[in-house]
Amino acid sequence: MRSHEVDYRVVGADLQFVEIELDPGESVVAESGAMMYVEEGIVFETRMGDGSEPNRGAWGKLKSAGKRALAGESLFLAHFTNQGSGRRTVAFAASYPGKIVPVDLAAFGGRILAQKTAFLCAAMGTKLGIAFNRKFGAGVFGGEGFILQDIQGDGLAFLHAGGTVVEKRLIGETLRVDTGCIVAFEPQIEYSIERAGRASTMVFGGEGLFLATLRGAGRVWLQSLPFSRLADEVLMRLPPSRDGD
């Protein structure tokens, strides 16, 4: 199924949201709870699956939804369709501060791998799956990077990242990154988990015991403030609770 050709506008500098304009009959899918507003004429409903394979049976849809649940995502996605007579707009925003990264999947060979929490919305026809890192080290120590979202299609997909986003292009190079700072990368990039350094560095360096290593040629998107890091910092600075409060 070819993806619908939607138009969009990213609004804001740091606390961004995306407006997607739909022609009559066009649709977009999004994570449940991501909708900011919707204009009259757009009908939305929650369905199991991404709608990329409309002829797929109930078992196939359940299997696909089960994979999303395994990745820590909702079983259901919200589907928005313009059933009006003119162009209509729907807007989406994430639940924490950051940037929105529009990705034209056709320009990346039809596929990217992303952190499991990075997907925000996409044109109808985009297929959402999961990809496991097959290396043992990544499975045991990879944390956020162990289970990745596999996003496939030929249309637009929109990712959300915390803080500032930077796109880096590797040309046969190696990049070592905190696992939570990875937003997405092209599938030809080799991804693994390696020790942060010597034992003293791993224990006292403050950068964690292991780092993600990206090797090869292709594009990588990184975020400066993963939500997990922000949440940990907030919790650490909360005053201790008192008995009876």
Side-chain angles (χ1 to χ4, degrees), residues 22-236:
L22 301 176
D23 288 327
E26 287 184 339
S27 300
V28 63
V29 296
E31 286 289 354
S32 297
M35 189 269 285
M36 179 179 173
Y37 71 81
V38 58
E39 291 185 344
E40 184 178 3
I42 293 181
V43 176
F44 60 94
E45 59 182 331
T46 301
R47 302 179 190 170
M48 186 177 293
D50 52 41
S52 62
E53 299 175 293
N55 298 323
R56 198 174 194 182
W59 170 246
K61 293 179 181 179
L62 183 61
K63 184 178 179 181
S64 176
K67 290 181 179 179
R68 284 178 49 79
L70 188 61
E73 301 294 331
S74 169
L75 286 172
F76 301 92
L77 289 166
H79 293 235
F80 298 79
T81 302
N82 181 4
Q83 295 186 358
S85 58
R87 305 191 96 187
R88 296 290 185 268
T89 300
V90 57
F92 301 99
S95 57
Y96 61 96
K99 302 281 190 179
I100 290 175
V101 183
V103 178
D104 183 355
L105 293 170
F108 296 95
R111 183 185 179 212
I112 62 167
L113 299 177
Q115 282 278 24
K116 61 183 181 180
T117 58
F119 175 76
L120 182 66
C121 59
M124 174 64 79
T126 304
K127 184 177 181 180
L128 303 174
I130 64 170
F132 287 97
N133 192 299
R134 291 170 293 184
K135 293 193 174 181
F136 176 77
V140 176
F141 305 112
E144 295 144 299
F146 173 41
I147 300 177
L148 301 166
Q149 288 200 80
D150 191 340
I151 305 174
Q152 301 183 43
D154 57 6
L156 287 167
F158 299 88
L159 308 179
H160 181 267
T164 299
V165 179
V166 61
E167 177 185 318
K168 299 187 73 69
R169 299 194 181 202
L170 303 185
I171 307 175
E173 301 167 278
T174 297
L175 187 67
R176 305 180 77 194
V177 188
D178 181 283
T179 56
C181 290
I182 298 173
V183 179
F185 53 91
E186 292 188 82
Q188 68 269 21
I189 296 287
E190 181 186 346
Y191 172 73
S192 62
I193 300 295
E194 298 182 2
R195 294 196 317 173
R198 296 190 304 179
S200 58
T201 301
M202 294 172 66
V203 175
F204 303 111
E207 302 300 335
L209 300 179
F210 298 87
L211 295 174
T213 299
L214 302 167
R215 293 187 178 92
R219 274 170 279 198
V220 177
W221 291 267
L222 305 175
Q223 59 186 347
S224 65
L225 185 60
F227 178 73
S228 58
R229 184 181 295 177
L230 175 63
D232 289 344
E233 188 70 16
V234 170
L235 290 173
M236 185 176 66

